[in-house]
Amino acid sequence: AQRVTQPEKLLSVFKGAPVELKCNYSYSGSPELFWYVQYSRQRLQLLLRHISRESIKGFTADLNKGETSFHLKKPFAQEEDSAMYYCALSGASGSRLTFGEGTQLTVNP
Amino acid sequence: GAVVSQHPSWVICKSGTSVKIECRSLDFQATTMFWYRQFPKQSLMLMATSNEGSKATYEQGVEKDKFLINHASLTLSTLTVTSAHPEDSSFYICSARRARSPYEQYFGPGTRLTVT
């Protein structure tokens, strides 16, 4: 079974502060991990995925297989980063996505 | 590119009636489409996976006779909620995946269903 856990439902930081959104997963094989973001009144969209090892909007995420984690980080949060963030896992190529519960990030001015 | 639309964006229906929700990939061919349900302040729960031209695969606990899914073409999938009841009120979201991008799903804006 595949499972994704985001321990924080709400996270509030001040503008310019570092932010880390936690994600832990459970999967017996080699997972593909993703971060999706949903801004207010907008659809869910892909933020980044671990296989591409890219930085999007200043966010990065590193897959730590030893700790089964895929935390999302940004060194200096911006107000426009305020959104709901979902960590998601996919098993074999093209298989279903399992989403975490989501973390609502609020960046205060 | 890779835009997914849903119609309607919101619908109110009476208990006992059926409602059809459409999901379209506007600028690409979607070999696979997914249907999710999202309750307020909760995560997305996968209901079913549909591949073009074949029967949908439903997740455990999802009634296939109640939530009818049809994926007749590479750009259209429909979800029909039959004999709707108030507990079916929810936000229904579809996503689509194209053959050459097996890892990425493109999400629709969602459909708010309210059953009175």
Side-chain angles (χ1 to χ4, degrees), chain B:
Chain B
V3 178
V4 176
S5 71
Q6 282 184 242
H7 178 81
S9 55
W10 59 270
V11 58
I12 302 173
C13 71
K14 291 186 176 180
S15 187
T17 61
S18 295
V19 175
K20 180 184 284 188
I21 302 170
E22 292 185 349
C23 176
R24 292 182 185 273
S25 56
L26 299 184
D27 50 3
F28 68 99
Q29 292 185 329
T31 52
T32 305
M33 288 185 168
F34 303 86
W35 286 95
Y36 296 86
R37 186 171 178 175
Q38 186 178 33
F39 290 104
K41 300 190 178 182
Q42 293 190 27
S43 187
L44 286 77
M45 298 297 295
L46 180 65
M47 298 175 66
T49 302
S50 74
N51 293 296
E52 184 267 336
S54 62
K55 289 184 178 180
T57 301
Y58 290 80
E59 294 297 303
Q60 192 172 11
V62 177
E63 299 176 59
K64 57 183 68 175
D65 293 333
K66 182 169 186 60
F67 298 99
L68 301 178
I69 292 172
N70 184 279
H71 191 166
S73 77
L74 285 172
T75 59
L76 174 65
S77 177
T78 59
L79 167 68
T80 301
V81 183
T82 62
S83 187
H85 288 99
E87 55 265 31
D88 298 325
S89 298
S90 190
F91 197 55
Y92 292 88
I93 302 171
C94 75
S95 70
R97 189 176 68 202
R98 48 190 176 188
R100 295 185 178 184
S101 300
Y103 297 108
E104 189 159 354
Q105 293 184 27
Y106 303 94
F107 286 81
T111 296
R112 172 74 60 193
L113 170 63
T114 301
V115 185
T116 60

Side-chain angles (χ1 to χ4, degrees), chain A residues 2-103:
Chain A
Q2 51 194 63
R3 186 174 179 179
V4 178
T5 303
Q6 292 178 249
E8 303 142 326
K9 281 199 168 184
L10 302 172
L11 184 61
S12 183
V13 301
F14 286 103
K15 176 183 174 181
V19 63
E20 181 180 53
L21 290 84
K22 292 184 168 53
C23 172
N24 290 90
Y25 67 90
S26 174
Y27 185 69
S28 56
S30 293
E32 299 294 342
L33 274 298
F34 307 82
W35 277 99
Y36 282 83
V37 61
Q38 188 170 29
Y39 299 102
S40 180
R41 299 181 185 277
Q42 294 188 27
R43 70 187 67 196
L44 202 64
Q45 56 186 289
L46 179 65
L47 180 62
L48 55 80
R49 56 187 183 185
H50 92 271
I51 58 173
S52 57
R53 291 184 169 274
E54 56 197 345
S55 173
I56 302 294
K57 299 183 179 181
F59 284 98
T60 59
D62 291 318
L63 178 60
N64 186 323
K65 291 187 176 181
E67 296 182 358
T68 59
S69 68
F70 188 57
H71 303 326
L72 183 68
K73 301 177 183 179
K74 185 169 183 176
F76 307 103
Q78 303 299 315
E79 289 181 66
E80 55 265 30
D81 296 328
S82 296
M84 178 69 86
Y85 292 81
Y86 293 97
C87 182
L89 178 153
S90 175
S93 174
S95 68
R96 58 195 292 272
L97 275 176
T98 297
F99 286 88
E101 294 293 317
T103 297

